[in-house]
Amino acid sequence: MAEAPHIPVLLGPLLRAVQPVQGTWVDGTFGAGGYARGLLEQGVDRVIGIDRDPAVFRMAEAWAGEYGDRLRLVQGTFSDLDRLAGGPVDGVVLDLGVSSMQLDQPERGFSFLRDGPLDMRMGGDGPSAADLLNTAPEQVIADVLYLYGEERASRRIARAIVAARPLSRTGQLSDIVAGCLPRPKPGQSHPSTRAFQAIRIWVNDEFGQLVAGLAAAERALRPGGKLAVVSFHSLEDRIVKRFMQARSNSAGGGSRYAPEAAREEPAFTLPFRRAIGADEAELAANPRARSALLRVGIRTAAPAGRVDPAALGLPLLSERGA
């Protein structure tokens, strides 16, 4: 038997939260296949694994055959998961953000710790990080850093990026960012963390994909179906939280976030009042789990509704800058 992939963050809590697991599930962010494997081991009939990165399917060849036709792999984005699934499903799991295996490959350009081409594209198509940073106006770059990465030194960093153009390597970008910020104290994150995160989100339109993916999950799930979303970024979690509140009518009648959705029949019920985090054992084994939050919704029989990105707190840029 092939070596099992790394256990993904919050796998145990997720599987407990969505019991009983049965029928057909979509793993919309297949990655190393950990969630898909966990669901299959729990006894679901079938998992449809979707990922925009073709490299993950080559890596899965070593073990995917163990599950035969119970596992179907599809290249695409989870924003299109309802079409890719081909029919109603019993569950959808989304693990947001970049995977550790992508960070571990310098040639992908995601890591500020390993020098490589300034790429950051998950699917290999569209403009790269270098393309955007070398052509976008300074104000757009500053907005990306501030809105997508909550980087307080966004204007200073954007000015330095424009002054240093053209950029082609992750090492160049990391040095520019670090030169604009104070030296980190012991225990603080690397100074490039927020900037690299923001630019990666920009390159891959991750927030736009998330909103579209949540709407696609609502369309795909049959009544009683479960939506489970794991996020690592406060802005991602805010979008997920507001989506589930708006689509379950639990935001309150006076909410300014989704006044129209509050008049619709609820599309979800929420089995947990709060997001689920990692326990001490998982935190000790995997420090990356510290920022992870799991939210779960259960689909009702109500028709799928319209989703307003602005009402979900989606940070909007005035232009892409490509």
Side-chain angles (χ1 to χ4, degrees), residues 94-321:
L94 302 175
D95 175 18
L96 307 178
V98 66
S99 71
S100 57
M101 65 181 184
Q102 288 169 326
L103 291 173
D104 290 341
Q105 298 172 326
E107 66 273 16
R108 301 299 301 274
F110 290 105
S111 177
F112 44 77
L113 298 176
R114 301 174 178 86
D115 184 52
L118 191 53
D119 193 323
M120 299 194 191
R121 292 174 296 179
M122 290 183 179
D125 54 348
S128 67
D131 294 331
L132 294 176
L133 290 172
N134 287 330
T135 58
E138 180 180 319
Q139 183 60 52
V140 170
I141 297 173
D143 287 348
V144 167
L145 297 173
Y146 183 74
L147 294 173
Y148 290 179
E150 299 178 307
E151 174 56 71
R152 287 176 290 183
S154 58
R155 294 182 184 277
R156 189 184 319 141
I157 295 171
R159 193 177 310 119
I161 287 172
V162 170
R165 294 196 297 205
L167 279 66
S168 62
R169 308 288 295 181
T170 56
Q172 285 178 280
L173 178 59
S174 184
D175 289 345
I176 290 168
V177 175
C180 294
L181 297 171
R183 184 183 298 273
K185 297 177 182 178
Q188 289 184 329
S189 60
H190 191 283
S192 294
T193 301
R194 292 178 182 272
F196 269 66
Q197 170 185 275
I199 294 165
R200 187 204 79 222
I201 289 170
W202 183 31
V203 168
N204 296 287
D205 186 27
E206 291 180 36
F207 289 151
Q209 286 287 315
L210 174 55
V211 172
L214 293 170
E218 181 175 323
R219 294 191 298 269
L221 286 165
R222 60 170 47 96
K226 294 152 187 171
L227 170 62
V229 185
V230 176
S231 61
F232 296 86
H233 183 303
S234 61
L235 297 178
E236 286 175 337
D237 180 62
R238 183 177 71 185
I239 292 170
V240 176
K241 177 182 178 180
R242 290 184 178 177
F243 170 82
M244 290 191 175
Q245 286 180 335
R247 305 306 297 141
S248 66
N249 289 358
S250 63
S255 171
R256 70 181 186 276
Y257 298 139
E260 293 184 12
R263 293 194 295 270
E264 296 177 358
E265 186 179 354
F268 287 91
T269 59
L270 306 184
F272 305 100
R273 292 185 59 190
R274 301 178 185 275
I276 299 170
D279 59 22
E280 291 302 320
E282 182 166 2
L283 290 174
N286 184 3
R288 181 172 176 258
R290 187 165 302 278
S291 61
L293 292 173
L294 165 66
R295 295 188 184 273
V296 177
I298 301 177
R299 189 72 169 87
T300 71
R306 183 182 63 85
V307 176
D308 179 4
L312 302 183
L314 180 70
L316 298 176
L317 301 177
S318 57
E319 57 178 301
R320 182 172 171 82

Side-chain angles (χ1 to χ4, degrees), residues 2-3 30-32 37 54-67 71 73:
E3 182 180 353
F30 182 74
R37 178 171 286 206
V56 306
F57 302 123
R58 293 192 293 271
M59 296 179 65
E61 289 174 357
W63 60 268
E66 298 172 19
Y67 299 99
L71 176 62
L73 303 180

Side-chain angles (χ1 to χ4, degrees), residues 26 48 50 72 74-89 216-217 219-220:
V26 170
I48 301 166
I50 299 171
R72 179 165 73 92
V74 182
Q75 185 177 349
T77 59
F78 63 72
S79 59
D80 201 21
L81 70 85
D82 54 329
R83 183 185 67 81
L84 295 175
V89 298
R219 294 191 298 269

